Coordinates of all heavy atoms in Angstrom, one line a residue:
M1 N -24.9 -8.2 -11.9 CA -23.4 -8.2 -11.8 C -23.1 -7.4 -10.6 O -23.6 -6.3 -10.3 CB -22.9 -7.5 -13.1 CG -21.4 -7.4 -13.1 SD -21.0 -6.8 -14.8 CE -19.3 -6.4 -14.6
K2 N -22.1 -7.9 -9.8 CA -21.7 -7.3 -8.6 C -20.8 -6.1 -8.8 O -19.9 -6.2 -9.6 CB -21.0 -8.4 -7.7 CG -20.6 -7.9 -6.3 CD -19.9 -9.0 -5.6 CE -19.5 -8.5 -4.2 NZ -18.8 -9.5 -3.5
P3 N -21.1 -4.9 -8.2 CA -20.2 -3.8 -8.5 C -18.8 -4.1 -7.9 O -18.7 -4.7 -6.8 CB -20.9 -2.6 -7.8 CG -21.9 -3.3 -6.8 CD -22.2 -4.6 -7.3
S4 N -17.8 -3.5 -8.6 CA -16.4 -3.7 -8.1 C -16.2 -2.8 -6.9 O -16.8 -1.7 -6.8 CB -15.4 -3.5 -9.2 OG -15.5 -2.2 -9.7
R5 N -15.3 -3.2 -6.1 CA -14.9 -2.4 -4.9 C -14.0 -1.2 -5.4 O -13.3 -1.3 -6.4 CB -14.1 -3.2 -3.9 CG -15.0 -4.2 -3.2 CD -14.2 -4.8 -2.1 NE -13.1 -5.7 -2.5 CZ -12.9 -6.9 -2.1 NH1 -13.7 -7.5 -1.2 NH2 -11.9 -7.6 -2.5
K6 N -14.0 -0.2 -4.6 CA -13.1 0.9 -4.9 C -11.6 0.5 -4.6 O -11.4 -0.4 -3.8 CB -13.4 2.1 -3.9 CG -14.8 2.7 -4.1 CD -14.8 3.5 -5.3 CE -16.2 4.2 -5.4 NZ -16.4 5.0 -6.5
K7 N -10.7 1.1 -5.3 CA -9.3 0.7 -5.2 C -8.5 2.0 -4.8 O -8.6 3.0 -5.4 CB -8.7 0.1 -6.4 CG -7.3 -0.4 -6.2 CD -6.6 -0.9 -7.5 CE -7.2 -2.1 -8.1 NZ -6.4 -2.6 -9.2
V8 N -7.7 1.8 -3.7 CA -6.9 2.9 -3.2 C -5.4 2.6 -3.4 O -5.0 1.5 -3.1 CB -7.1 3.1 -1.7 CG1 -6.2 4.2 -1.1 CG2 -8.6 3.4 -1.4
L9 N -4.7 3.6 -3.9 CA -3.2 3.5 -4.0 C -2.6 4.2 -2.9 O -2.9 5.4 -2.7 CB -2.7 4.1 -5.3 CG -1.2 4.2 -5.5 CD1 -0.5 2.9 -5.5 CD2 -0.9 5.0 -6.8
V10 N -1.8 3.6 -2.1 CA -1.1 4.2 -1.0 C 0.4 4.2 -1.3 O 1.0 3.1 -1.3 CB -1.3 3.5 0.4 CG1 -0.6 4.2 1.5 CG2 -2.8 3.5 0.7
T11 N 1.0 5.3 -1.6 CA 2.4 5.4 -1.8 C 3.1 5.4 -0.4 O 2.6 6.0 0.5 CB 2.9 6.6 -2.6 OG1 2.6 7.8 -1.9 CG2 2.2 6.6 -4.0
G12 N 4.2 4.7 -0.3 CA 4.9 4.6 1.0 C 4.1 3.8 2.0 O 4.2 3.9 3.2
G13 N 3.4 2.8 1.5 CA 2.6 1.9 2.4 C 3.3 1.1 3.4 O 2.8 0.6 4.4
A14 N 4.6 0.8 3.1 CA 5.4 0.0 4.1 C 6.1 0.9 5.1 O 6.9 0.4 5.9 CB 6.4 -0.8 3.3
G15 N 5.9 2.2 5.1 CA 6.5 3.1 6.0 C 5.7 3.1 7.3 O 4.7 2.5 7.5
F16 N 6.2 3.9 8.3 CA 5.7 4.0 9.6 C 4.2 4.5 9.6 O 3.4 3.9 10.2 CB 6.5 5.0 10.5 CG 6.0 5.1 11.9 CD1 6.2 4.1 12.8 CD2 5.4 6.3 12.3 CE1 5.7 4.2 14.1 CE2 4.9 6.4 13.6 CZ 5.1 5.4 14.5
I17 N 3.9 5.5 8.9 CA 2.5 6.0 8.8 C 1.7 5.2 7.8 O 0.6 4.9 8.0 CB 2.5 7.5 8.5 CG1 3.2 8.3 9.6 CG2 1.1 8.0 8.3 CD1 3.4 9.8 9.3
G18 N 2.3 4.9 6.7 CA 1.6 4.2 5.6 C 1.0 2.9 6.0 O -0.1 2.6 5.7
H19 N 1.8 2.1 6.8 CA 1.2 0.8 7.2 C 0.1 0.9 8.2 O -0.9 0.2 8.2 CB 2.3 -0.1 7.8 CG 2.6 0.0 9.2 ND1 3.3 1.1 9.7 CD2 2.2 -0.7 10.3 CE1 3.4 1.0 11.1 NE2 2.7 -0.1 11.4
A20 N 0.1 2.0 9.0 CA -1.0 2.2 9.9 C -2.3 2.7 9.2 O -3.4 2.3 9.5 CB -0.6 3.3 10.9
L21 N -2.1 3.5 8.1 CA -3.2 3.9 7.3 C -3.8 2.7 6.6 O -5.0 2.5 6.5 CB -2.8 4.9 6.3 CG -3.8 5.3 5.3 CD1 -5.0 6.0 5.9 CD2 -3.3 6.2 4.2
I22 N -2.9 1.8 6.0 CA -3.4 0.6 5.4 C -4.2 -0.3 6.3 O -5.3 -0.7 6.0 CB -2.3 -0.2 4.8 CG1 -1.8 0.5 3.5 CG2 -2.7 -1.6 4.4 CD1 -0.5 -0.1 2.9
E23 N -3.7 -0.4 7.6 CA -4.5 -1.2 8.6 C -5.9 -0.6 8.8 O -6.9 -1.2 8.9 CB -3.7 -1.3 9.9 CG -4.4 -2.1 10.9 CD -3.6 -2.3 12.2 OE1 -2.5 -1.8 12.3 OE2 -4.1 -3.0 13.1
H24 N -5.9 0.8 9.0 CA -7.2 1.5 9.2 C -8.1 1.3 8.0 O -9.3 1.0 8.2 CB -6.9 3.0 9.4 CG -8.1 3.8 9.5 ND1 -8.9 3.8 10.7 CD2 -8.7 4.6 8.7 CE1 -9.9 4.6 10.5 NE2 -9.9 5.1 9.3
L25 N -7.6 1.4 6.8 CA -8.5 1.2 5.6 C -9.0 -0.3 5.6 O -10.2 -0.5 5.2 CB -7.7 1.5 4.3 CG -7.4 3.0 4.1 CD1 -6.5 3.2 2.9 CD2 -8.7 3.8 3.9
L26 N -8.2 -1.2 5.9 CA -8.6 -2.6 5.9 C -9.7 -2.9 6.9 O -10.6 -3.6 6.7 CB -7.4 -3.6 6.1 CG -6.5 -3.7 4.9 CD1 -5.2 -4.4 5.3 CD2 -7.1 -4.4 3.7
E27 N -9.5 -2.2 8.1 CA -10.5 -2.4 9.2 C -11.8 -1.7 8.9 O -12.9 -2.2 9.3 CB -9.9 -1.9 10.5 CG -8.9 -2.7 11.1 CD -8.3 -2.1 12.4 OE1 -8.5 -0.9 12.6 OE2 -7.6 -2.8 13.1
T28 N -11.8 -0.6 8.3 CA -13.0 0.3 8.2 C -13.7 0.4 6.8 O -14.7 1.1 6.7 CB -12.7 1.7 8.7 OG1 -11.7 2.3 7.8 CG2 -12.2 1.7 10.1
T29 N -13.1 -0.2 5.8 CA -13.7 -0.1 4.5 C -13.6 -1.5 3.8 O -13.1 -2.4 4.4 CB -12.9 0.8 3.5 OG1 -11.6 0.2 3.2 CG2 -12.6 2.2 4.2
D30 N -14.2 -1.6 2.7 CA -14.1 -2.8 1.9 C -13.2 -2.6 0.6 O -13.2 -3.4 -0.3 CB -15.5 -3.4 1.5 CG -16.2 -2.5 0.5 OD1 -15.8 -1.3 0.3 OD2 -17.1 -2.9 -0.2
F31 N -12.4 -1.5 0.7 CA -11.6 -1.1 -0.5 C -10.5 -2.2 -0.7 O -10.0 -2.8 0.2 CB -10.9 0.2 -0.2 CG -11.7 1.4 -0.1 CD1 -11.3 2.6 0.5 CD2 -13.1 1.4 -0.5 CE1 -12.0 3.7 0.6 CE2 -13.9 2.5 -0.4 CZ -13.3 3.7 0.1
D32 N -10.1 -2.3 -2.0 CA -8.9 -3.0 -2.3 C -7.8 -2.0 -2.2 O -8.0 -0.8 -2.6 CB -9.0 -3.6 -3.8 CG -9.9 -4.7 -3.9 OD1 -10.0 -5.5 -2.9 OD2 -10.6 -4.9 -4.9
I33 N -6.6 -2.4 -1.8 CA -5.5 -1.5 -1.5 C -4.3 -1.9 -2.3 O -3.9 -3.1 -2.2 CB -5.2 -1.4 0.0 CG1 -6.5 -0.9 0.7 CG2 -4.0 -0.4 0.2 CD1 -6.4 -1.1 2.2
V34 N -3.6 -1.0 -2.9 CA -2.3 -1.2 -3.6 C -1.3 -0.4 -2.8 O -1.5 0.9 -2.7 CB -2.3 -0.9 -5.1 CG1 -0.9 -1.1 -5.6 CG2 -3.4 -1.7 -5.8
S35 N -0.3 -1.0 -2.3 CA 0.8 -0.3 -1.6 C 2.0 -0.2 -2.6 O 2.5 -1.2 -3.1 CB 1.3 -1.0 -0.4 OG 2.4 -0.4 0.2
L36 N 2.4 1.0 -2.9 CA 3.5 1.3 -3.8 C 4.6 1.8 -3.0 O 4.5 2.9 -2.4 CB 3.1 2.3 -4.9 CG 4.1 2.6 -6.0 CD1 4.1 1.3 -6.9 CD2 3.6 3.8 -6.8
D37 N 5.7 1.1 -3.0 CA 6.9 1.4 -2.1 C 8.2 1.0 -2.7 O 8.2 0.0 -3.4 CB 6.7 0.7 -0.7 CG 7.3 1.5 0.4 OD1 8.6 1.6 0.3 OD2 6.6 2.0 1.3
R38 N 9.2 1.7 -2.4 CA 10.5 1.3 -2.9 C 11.3 0.4 -1.9 O 12.3 -0.2 -2.2 CB 11.4 2.5 -3.3 CG 11.9 3.3 -2.2 CD 12.8 4.4 -2.7 NE 13.3 5.2 -1.6 CZ 13.9 6.3 -1.7 NH1 14.1 6.8 -2.9 NH2 14.3 7.0 -0.7
L39 N 10.7 0.2 -0.7 CA 11.2 -0.7 0.3 C 12.7 -0.5 0.6 O 13.5 -1.4 0.4 CB 11.0 -2.2 -0.1 CG 9.5 -2.5 -0.3 CD1 9.4 -3.9 -0.9 CD2 8.7 -2.4 1.0
D40 N 13.0 0.7 1.0 CA 14.4 1.1 1.3 C 14.5 1.1 2.8 O 13.7 0.5 3.5 CB 14.8 2.4 0.7 CG 14.1 3.6 1.1 OD1 13.1 3.4 1.9 OD2 14.4 4.7 0.7
I41 N 15.4 2.0 3.3 CA 15.6 2.1 4.8 C 14.3 2.5 5.5 O 14.1 2.2 6.7 CB 16.8 3.0 5.1 CG1 17.2 2.9 6.5 CG2 16.5 4.4 4.7 CD1 18.5 3.6 6.8
S42 N 13.5 3.3 4.9 CA 12.3 3.8 5.5 C 11.1 2.9 5.5 O 10.2 3.0 6.3 CB 11.8 5.1 4.8 OG 12.9 6.1 4.8
G43 N 11.0 1.9 4.6 CA 9.9 1.0 4.5 C 10.3 -0.4 4.7 O 11.4 -0.8 4.4
S44 N 9.4 -1.2 5.3 CA 9.7 -2.6 5.6 C 8.5 -3.4 5.4 O 7.4 -3.1 5.9 CB 10.2 -2.7 7.1 OG 10.3 -4.0 7.4
L45 N 8.6 -4.5 4.7 CA 7.5 -5.4 4.5 C 7.1 -6.1 5.8 O 5.9 -6.5 5.9 CB 7.9 -6.5 3.5 CG 7.8 -6.1 2.0 CD1 8.2 -7.3 1.1 CD2 6.4 -5.6 1.6
S46 N 7.9 -6.1 6.8 CA 7.5 -6.7 8.1 C 6.4 -5.9 8.7 O 5.5 -6.5 9.3 CB 8.7 -6.7 9.0 OG 9.2 -5.5 9.4
R47 N 6.3 -4.6 8.4 CA 5.2 -3.8 8.9 C 3.9 -4.3 8.3 O 2.8 -4.4 8.9 CB 5.4 -2.3 8.7 CG 6.5 -1.7 9.5 CD 6.6 -0.2 9.2 NE 7.6 0.4 10.0 CZ 8.6 1.1 9.6 NH1 8.7 1.3 8.3 NH2 9.5 1.6 10.4
I48 N 4.0 -4.5 6.9 CA 2.8 -5.0 6.2 C 2.4 -6.4 6.7 O 1.2 -6.6 6.9 CB 3.1 -5.0 4.7 CG1 3.4 -3.6 4.2 CG2 1.9 -5.6 3.9 CD1 2.2 -2.7 4.0
N49 N 3.4 -7.2 6.9 CA 3.1 -8.6 7.4 C 2.4 -8.6 8.7 O 1.5 -9.4 9.0 CB 4.3 -9.4 7.3 CG 4.7 -9.9 6.0 OD1 3.9 -10.0 5.1 ND2 6.0 -10.0 5.7
D50 N 2.9 -7.7 9.6 CA 2.3 -7.6 10.9 C 0.8 -7.2 10.8 O 0.0 -7.7 11.6 CB 3.0 -6.5 11.8 CG 4.4 -6.9 12.2 OD1 4.8 -8.1 12.0 OD2 5.2 -6.1 12.6
V51 N 0.5 -6.3 9.9 CA -0.9 -5.9 9.7 C -1.7 -7.1 9.2 O -2.8 -7.4 9.7 CB -1.0 -4.7 8.7 CG1 -2.5 -4.5 8.3 CG2 -0.5 -3.5 9.3
L52 N -1.2 -7.8 8.2 CA -1.9 -9.0 7.6 C -2.1 -10.1 8.6 O -3.0 -10.9 8.5 CB -1.2 -9.4 6.4 CG -1.2 -8.4 5.2 CD1 -0.4 -8.9 4.0 CD2 -2.6 -8.0 4.8
E53 N -1.2 -10.3 9.6 CA -1.3 -11.3 10.6 C -2.5 -11.1 11.5 O -3.0 -12.1 12.1 CB 0.0 -11.5 11.4 CG 1.1 -12.1 10.6 CD 2.4 -12.2 11.4 OE1 2.4 -11.8 12.6 OE2 3.4 -12.7 10.9
K54 N -3.0 -9.9 11.6 CA -4.1 -9.6 12.4 C -5.4 -10.2 11.8 O -6.4 -10.5 12.6 CB -4.3 -8.1 12.7 CG -3.1 -7.5 13.5 CD -3.3 -6.1 13.6 CE -2.1 -5.5 14.5 NZ -2.3 -4.1 14.7
N55 N -5.5 -10.3 10.5 CA -6.7 -10.8 9.8 C -6.3 -11.4 8.5 O -6.0 -10.6 7.5 CB -7.7 -9.6 9.7 CG -9.0 -10.1 9.1 OD1 -9.1 -11.1 8.4 ND2 -10.1 -9.4 9.4
N56 N -6.3 -12.7 8.4 CA -5.8 -13.3 7.2 C -6.7 -13.0 5.9 O -6.2 -13.1 4.8 CB -5.8 -14.9 7.4 CG -4.9 -15.6 6.4 OD1 -3.8 -15.0 6.0 ND2 -5.3 -16.7 6.0
E57 N -7.9 -12.6 6.1 CA -8.8 -12.3 5.0 C -8.4 -11.0 4.3 O -8.7 -10.8 3.2 CB -10.2 -12.2 5.5 CG -10.8 -13.6 6.0 CD -12.2 -13.4 6.5 OE1 -12.8 -12.4 6.4 OE2 -12.6 -14.4 7.1
W58 N -7.6 -10.2 5.0 CA -7.1 -8.9 4.4 C -6.2 -9.2 3.3 O -6.0 -8.3 2.4 CB -6.5 -8.1 5.4 CG -7.5 -7.5 6.4 CD1 -8.8 -7.4 6.3 CD2 -7.1 -6.8 7.7 NE1 -9.3 -6.8 7.4 CE2 -8.3 -6.4 8.3 CE3 -5.9 -6.6 8.3 CZ2 -8.4 -5.7 9.5 CZ3 -6.0 -5.9 9.5 CH2 -7.2 -5.5 10.1
R59 N -5.5 -10.3 3.2 CA -4.5 -10.6 2.2 C -5.1 -10.5 0.8 O -4.4 -10.1 -0.1 CB -3.9 -12.0 2.4 CG -3.0 -12.1 3.6 CD -2.4 -13.5 3.8 NE -1.7 -13.6 5.1 CZ -0.5 -13.1 5.3 NH1 0.2 -12.6 4.3 NH2 0.1 -13.2 6.5
S60 N -6.3 -10.9 0.6 CA -6.9 -10.8 -0.7 C -7.2 -9.4 -1.2 O -7.4 -9.1 -2.3 CB -8.2 -11.6 -0.7 OG -9.2 -11.1 0.1
R61 N -7.2 -8.4 -0.2 CA -7.5 -7.0 -0.6 C -6.3 -6.1 -0.7 O -6.4 -5.0 -1.0 CB -8.4 -6.5 0.5 CG -9.8 -7.1 0.5 CD -10.7 -6.6 1.5 NE -10.7 -5.2 1.8 CZ -10.8 -4.7 3.0 NH1 -11.0 -5.4 4.1 NH2 -10.7 -3.4 3.2
L62 N -5.1 -6.7 -0.4 CA -3.9 -5.9 -0.4 C -2.9 -6.4 -1.4 O -2.6 -7.6 -1.4 CB -3.3 -5.8 1.0 CG -1.9 -5.0 1.1 CD1 -2.1 -3.6 0.8 CD2 -1.4 -5.2 2.5
R63 N -2.3 -5.5 -2.2 CA -1.3 -5.9 -3.2 C -0.1 -4.9 -2.9 O -0.3 -3.7 -2.8 CB -1.7 -5.8 -4.6 CG -0.6 -6.0 -5.6 CD -1.2 -5.8 -7.0 NE -2.0 -6.9 -7.3 CZ -2.0 -7.6 -8.4 NH1 -1.4 -7.1 -9.4 NH2 -2.8 -8.6 -8.6
V64 N 1.1 -5.5 -2.9 CA 2.3 -4.6 -2.7 C 3.1 -4.6 -4.0 O 3.4 -5.7 -4.6 CB 3.2 -5.2 -1.6 CG1 4.5 -4.3 -1.5 CG2 2.5 -5.2 -0.2
V65 N 3.4 -3.4 -4.5 CA 4.1 -3.2 -5.8 C 5.4 -2.4 -5.5 O 5.3 -1.4 -4.8 CB 3.2 -2.5 -6.8 CG1 4.0 -2.2 -8.1 CG2 2.0 -3.3 -7.1
W66 N 6.5 -3.0 -5.9 CA 7.8 -2.3 -5.7 C 8.0 -1.3 -6.8 O 7.9 -1.6 -8.0 CB 9.0 -3.2 -5.6 CG 10.2 -2.5 -5.4 CD1 10.8 -2.2 -4.3 CD2 11.1 -2.0 -6.4 NE1 11.9 -1.5 -4.5 CE2 12.1 -1.3 -5.8 CE3 11.1 -1.9 -7.8 CZ2 13.2 -0.7 -6.5 CZ3 12.1 -1.3 -8.5 CH2 13.1 -0.7 -7.8
H67 N 8.3 0.0 -6.4 CA 8.6 1.0 -7.4 C 9.2 2.2 -6.7 O 8.7 2.6 -5.7 CB 7.4 1.4 -8.2 CG 7.7 2.5 -9.2 ND1 8.4 2.3 -10.4 CD2 7.4 3.8 -9.2 CE1 8.5 3.4 -11.1 NE2 7.9 4.3 -10.4
D68 N 10.3 2.7 -7.3 CA 10.9 4.0 -6.8 C 10.2 5.1 -7.5 O 10.3 5.3 -8.8 CB 12.4 3.9 -7.1 CG 13.1 5.1 -6.4 OD1 12.5 6.1 -6.1 OD2 14.3 5.0 -6.3
L69 N 9.6 6.0 -6.8 CA 8.8 7.1 -7.4 C 9.7 8.1 -8.1 O 9.2 9.0 -8.7 CB 7.9 7.8 -6.4 CG 6.7 7.0 -5.9 CD1 6.0 7.6 -4.8 CD2 5.8 6.7 -7.1
K70 N 11.0 8.0 -7.9 CA 11.9 8.9 -8.7 C 12.0 8.6 -10.1 O 12.5 9.3 -10.9 CB 13.3 8.9 -8.0 CG 13.4 9.5 -6.6 CD 14.8 9.5 -6.1 CE 15.1 8.2 -5.6 NZ 16.5 8.1 -5.0
A71 N 11.5 7.4 -10.5 CA 11.5 6.9 -11.9 C 10.1 6.9 -12.4 O 9.1 6.8 -11.7 CB 12.1 5.5 -11.9
P72 N 10.0 7.1 -13.8 CA 8.6 7.0 -14.4 C 8.0 5.6 -14.2 O 8.7 4.6 -14.0 CB 8.9 7.3 -15.9 CG 10.3 7.9 -15.9 CD 11.0 7.4 -14.7
L73 N 6.7 5.5 -14.2 CA 6.0 4.2 -14.1 C 6.2 3.5 -15.4 O 5.9 4.0 -16.5 CB 4.5 4.4 -13.9 CG 4.1 5.0 -12.5 CD1 2.6 5.3 -12.5 CD2 4.6 4.2 -11.4
S74 N 6.7 2.2 -15.3 CA 6.8 1.4 -16.5 C 5.5 0.8 -16.8 O 4.5 0.9 -16.0 CB 7.8 0.3 -16.2 OG 7.3 -0.6 -15.2
D75 N 5.3 0.2 -18.0 CA 4.1 -0.4 -18.4 C 3.8 -1.6 -17.5 O 2.6 -1.8 -17.1 CB 4.2 -0.9 -19.8 CG 4.2 0.2 -20.9 OD1 3.7 1.3 -20.5 OD2 4.6 0.0 -22.0
H76 N 4.8 -2.3 -17.0 CA 4.6 -3.4 -16.0 C 4.0 -2.9 -14.7 O 3.0 -3.4 -14.2 CB 5.9 -4.1 -15.8 CG 5.8 -5.1 -14.7 ND1 5.1 -6.4 -14.9 CD2 6.2 -5.2 -13.4 CE1 5.2 -7.1 -13.8 NE2 5.8 -6.3 -12.9
V77 N 4.5 -1.8 -14.2 CA 4.0 -1.2 -12.9 C 2.6 -0.7 -13.1 O 1.7 -0.9 -12.3 CB 4.9 -0.1 -12.4 CG1 4.3 0.6 -11.2 CG2 6.3 -0.7 -12.0
K78 N 2.3 0.0 -14.3 CA 1.0 0.5 -14.6 C 0.0 -0.7 -14.6 O -1.1 -0.6 -14.1 CB 1.0 1.2 -15.9 CG 1.7 2.5 -15.8 CD 1.7 3.2 -17.2 CE 2.5 4.4 -17.3 NZ 2.5 5.0 -18.7
A79 N 0.4 -1.8 -15.2 CA -0.5 -3.0 -15.2 C -0.7 -3.5 -13.8 O -1.9 -4.0 -13.5 CB 0.1 -4.0 -16.2
E80 N 0.3 -3.5 -13.0 CA 0.1 -4.0 -11.6 C -0.8 -3.1 -10.8 O -1.6 -3.6 -10.0 CB 1.5 -4.1 -10.9 CG 2.4 -5.2 -11.4 CD 1.9 -6.6 -10.9 OE1 1.5 -6.7 -9.8 OE2 1.9 -7.5 -11.8
L81 N -0.8 -1.9 -11.1 CA -1.6 -0.9 -10.3 C -3.1 -1.0 -10.8 O -4.0 -1.0 -9.9 CB -1.1 0.5 -10.5 CG 0.3 0.8 -10.0 CD1 0.6 2.3 -10.3 CD2 0.4 0.6 -8.5
G82 N -3.3 -1.1 -12.1 CA -4.7 -1.2 -12.6 C -5.4 0.1 -12.4 O -4.7 1.2 -12.3
D83 N -6.7 0.1 -12.4 CA -7.5 1.3 -12.3 C -7.6 1.7 -10.8 O -7.9 0.9 -10.0 CB -8.9 1.1 -12.8 CG -8.9 1.0 -14.3 OD1 -8.0 1.5 -15.0 OD2 -9.8 0.3 -14.9
I84 N -7.3 2.9 -10.5 CA -7.2 3.4 -9.1 C -8.3 4.5 -8.9 O -8.5 5.4 -9.8 CB -5.8 4.1 -8.8 CG1 -4.7 3.0 -9.0 CG2 -5.8 4.7 -7.4 CD1 -4.7 1.9 -8.0
N85 N -9.0 4.4 -7.8 CA -10.1 5.4 -7.5 C -9.5 6.6 -6.6 O -10.0 7.7 -6.8 CB -11.2 4.8 -6.8 CG -11.9 3.7 -7.6 OD1 -11.7 2.5 -7.4 ND2 -12.7 4.1 -8.6
Y86 N -8.6 6.2 -5.7 CA -8.1 7.2 -4.8 C -6.6 7.0 -4.7 O -6.1 5.9 -4.6 CB -8.7 7.1 -3.4 CG -10.2 7.2 -3.4 CD1 -11.0 6.0 -3.2 CD2 -10.9 8.4 -3.6 CE1 -12.4 6.1 -3.2 CE2 -12.3 8.4 -3.6 CZ -13.0 7.3 -3.4 OH -14.3 7.3 -3.4
I87 N -5.9 8.1 -4.5 CA -4.4 8.1 -4.3 C -4.1 8.8 -3.0 O -4.5 9.9 -2.8 CB -3.6 8.7 -5.4 CG1 -3.9 8.0 -6.7 CG2 -2.1 8.7 -5.1 CD1 -3.2 8.7 -7.9
L88 N -3.4 8.1 -2.1 CA -3.0 8.7 -0.8 C -1.5 8.7 -0.8 O -0.9 7.6 -0.7 CB -3.6 7.9 0.4 CG -5.1 7.8 0.4 CD1 -5.6 6.9 1.5 CD2 -5.7 9.2 0.6
H89 N -0.9 9.8 -1.0 CA 0.6 9.9 -1.2 C 1.3 10.1 0.1 O 1.3 11.2 0.7 CB 0.9 11.0 -2.2 CG 2.3 11.2 -2.5 ND1 3.1 10.1 -2.9 CD2 3.1 12.3 -2.6 CE1 4.3 10.6 -3.1 NE2 4.3 11.9 -2.9
L90 N 1.9 9.1 0.6 CA 2.7 9.2 1.9 C 4.1 8.9 1.8 O 4.9 8.9 2.7 CB 2.0 8.2 2.9 CG 0.6 8.4 3.2 CD1 0.0 7.2 4.0 CD2 0.3 9.7 3.9
A91 N 4.6 8.6 0.5 CA 6.0 8.3 0.3 C 6.9 9.5 0.6 O 6.6 10.6 0.1 CB 6.2 7.8 -1.1
A92 N 7.9 9.4 1.4 CA 8.8 10.4 1.6 C 10.1 9.9 2.2 O 10.1 8.9 3.0 CB 8.2 11.4 2.6
S93 N 11.2 10.5 1.9 CA 12.5 10.1 2.5 C 12.7 11.0 3.7 O 13.3 12.1 3.5 CB 13.6 10.2 1.5 OG 13.5 9.3 0.4
S94 N 12.2 10.6 4.8 CA 12.2 11.5 6.0 C 13.1 11.0 7.1 O 13.0 11.5 8.2 CB 10.8 11.7 6.5 OG 10.2 10.4 6.8
H95 N 13.9 10.0 6.8 CA 14.8 9.4 7.8 C 15.8 10.5 8.2 O 16.5 11.1 7.4 CB 15.5 8.2 7.3 CG 16.4 7.6 8.3 ND1 16.0 6.9 9.4 CD2 17.8 7.6 8.4 CE1 17.0 6.5 10.1 NE2 18.1 6.9 9.5
V96 N 16.0 10.7 9.5 CA 16.9 11.6 10.1 C 18.0 10.9 10.8 O 17.7 10.1 11.7 CB 16.2 12.6 11.0 CG1 17.1 13.6 11.6 CG2 15.0 13.3 10.3
N97 N 19.2 11.1 10.4 CA 20.3 10.5 11.1 C 20.4 11.1 12.5 O 20.2 12.3 12.7 CB 21.7 10.7 10.4 CG 21.7 10.0 9.1 OD1 21.1 8.9 9.0 ND2 22.4 10.5 8.1
R98 N 20.8 10.3 13.5 CA 20.8 10.8 14.9 C 22.2 11.2 15.2 O 23.1 10.8 15.3 CB 20.3 9.7 15.8 CG 18.9 9.4 15.5 CD 18.3 8.5 16.5 NE 16.9 8.2 16.0 CZ 16.0 7.8 16.7 NH1 16.2 7.6 17.9 NH2 14.8 7.7 16.2

């Protein structure tokens, strides 16, 4: 039986730093990655899509789950996340008005 890959949860994965970390993990590991993001003004799926366009095989290793971390995890979100080996918490509302 083939051992399963490690799974990493990246909160804020659609943000400026989060998407760069996801790209690094996809390039340098064989981990499966779950990006948990609320996709507001700070996060954009276009950043994730730009990463995935670099290597189409990465699509099978990345899952994006929408959730606002200000709310408790629902049973549905918990099921979407599955078993996680590592958590990298990068979610933050850090937008500064100019």
Side-chain angles (χ1 to χ4, degrees):
M1 183 171 169
K2 184 178 177 183
S4 62
R5 291 190 292 229
K6 299 283 187 183
K7 189 187 290 186
V8 177
L9 171 64
V10 179
T11 65
F16 180 73
I17 296 172
H19 86 281
L21 175 63
I22 286 173
E23 181 175 1
H24 176 75
L25 291 171
L26 289 169
E27 286 178 342
T28 61
T29 72
D30 67 344
F31 296 164
D32 288 327
I33 301 166
V34 179
S35 172
L36 186 70
D37 206 297
R38 72 177 179 192
L39 301 173
D40 66 355
I41 192 169
S42 302
S44 172
L45 281 180
S46 65
R47 290 184 179 122
I48 298 282
N49 286 331
D50 290 346
V51 168
L52 294 177
E53 286 179 2
K54 294 179 180 183
N55 185 332
N56 199 37
E57 293 176 11
W58 289 346
R59 291 182 186 276
S60 66
R61 293 178 39 216
L62 176 63
R63 173 182 288 219
V64 177
V65 176
W66 180 88
H67 178 71
D68 188 341
L69 287 174
K70 292 184 280 183
L73 294 176
S74 68
D75 289 339
H76 173 75
V77 171
K78 289 177 188 176
E80 287 289 315
L81 298 178
D83 292 331
I84 301 293
N85 299 101
Y86 305 106
I87 299 173
L88 302 172
H89 182 48
L90 301 171
S93 293
S94 60
H95 180 73
V96 177
N97 292 331
R98 296 183 184 204

